[in-house]
Amino acid sequence: MSITAAQVNELRKATGAGLMDCKKALMETDGDHEKAVDSLRKKGLAAAAKKAGRIATEGTIGSYIHAGGKIGVLVEINCETDFVAKTDAFQQLIKDVAMHIAAAAPQFIRREEVPNDVLEREKEIYRAKARETGKPENIIEKILEGQVNKFYGEICLLEQPYVKDPDKTVQTMLNETIAGIGENISIRRFARFVLGEGLEKKESDFAAEVAAAAGN
């Protein structure tokens, strides 16, 4: 069945869970609000949302190196107490998030960080493609909403499918960890480094690489 934005917003207000988690819960329960609330509570997502307003100033800066030293990630994740920051569960979270960033290459943590000019440029591209099909404007705007959400899911860390379990988002994984640990947890910032990124290779270096690839 079709789930409306109003239904999603109503569930979000009732539970504090993320938009995508609310939409998924409603889809799984055929739009039944009460059943969706119960579903979120069972997954610990509603409980995690209640902790989201608490201040998290402790935590850890973790790292992950991949592909023989060709990709590296630094990530800062905050929690409420130094005690939790030192637990195995929190340290594993750091490693998992850093590994995900290395693999999925997000550009931002959350959709609110995406610059308006970047978003508007994407919207114009989607609109232009939709208009070529001859669809009316009201249908185009509905298509646009779906395309924008897909765009967020590609570039925003919290909305990306989690690499170790693509059936859930990074936000869902984070909420489950919050529910298990019992403290608010926030991914504050990250940096992803790719060896040689942004450098122009010399023509001789490029020729050597081509030759090597050709087996010469």
Side-chain angles (χ1 to χ4, degrees):
M1 66 174 294
S2 178
I3 303 300
T4 67
Q7 287 176 290
V8 175
N9 285 329
E10 183 181 0
L11 182 59
R12 187 184 189 187
K13 289 178 182 178
T15 64
L19 283 173
M20 297 305 294
D21 292 320
C22 289
K23 184 175 182 180
K24 185 176 181 181
L26 285 165
M27 291 177 68
E28 291 174 346
T29 57
D30 294 325
D32 188 302
H33 178 85
E34 294 303 321
K35 288 182 179 179
V37 171
D38 291 342
S39 175
L40 290 171
R41 291 182 63 189
K42 288 176 183 177
K43 294 177 181 178
L45 302 182
K50 292 178 180 178
K51 298 179 177 68
R54 290 164 24 183
I55 298 175
T57 56
E58 298 295 334
T60 303
I61 295 174
S63 63
Y64 177 77
I65 306 297
H66 184 65
K70 295 189 181 297
I71 300 175
V73 170
L74 286 173
V75 60
E76 177 183 346
I77 301 184
N78 300 129
C79 56
E80 296 178 47
T81 64
D82 185 56
F83 173 80
V84 163
K86 294 176 180 178
T87 62
D88 291 342
F90 191 82
Q91 292 298 316
Q92 186 62 50
L93 174 67
I94 288 273
K95 292 177 182 178
D96 288 342
V97 171
M99 182 186 70
H100 174 94
I101 293 170
Q107 298 177 42
F108 308 94
I109 295 176
R110 50 190 60 83
R111 63 172 60 191
E112 290 81 7
E113 298 174 1
V114 179
N116 191 60
D117 61 325
V118 172
L119 182 59
E120 288 303 317
R121 185 166 63 248
E122 290 298 317
K123 285 182 177 181
E124 283 307 310
I125 293 172
Y126 299 145
R127 283 195 185 98
K129 289 182 178 179
R131 282 170 181 152
E132 288 179 359
T133 66
K135 290 182 173 62
E137 285 298 319
N138 62 321
I139 300 299
I140 288 176
E141 288 306 309
K142 290 183 179 179
I143 294 174
L144 181 64
E145 181 181 354
Q147 291 291 339
V148 167
N149 284 329
K150 182 180 178 182
F151 176 64
Y152 283 136
E154 292 172 351
I155 67 170
C156 297
L157 171 62
L158 295 178
E159 299 191 33
Q160 289 180 325
Y162 179 40
V163 292
K164 293 178 71 173
D165 185 354
D167 289 334
K168 64 178 68 173
T169 64
V170 173
Q171 180 68 71
T172 300
M173 181 274 291
L174 184 63
N175 287 345
E176 291 173 351
T177 305
I178 292 171
I181 287 178
E183 286 193 5
N184 184 26
I185 298 172
S186 174
I187 302 173
R188 183 175 178 229
R189 54 185 170 174
F190 69 86
R192 183 177 183 273
F193 304 92
V194 178
L195 184 67
E197 187 175 45
L199 297 177
E200 292 186 8
K201 293 182 179 292
K202 295 180 180 178
E203 186 175 344
S204 58
D205 292 338
F206 180 73
E209 289 187 6
V210 172
N216 295 331

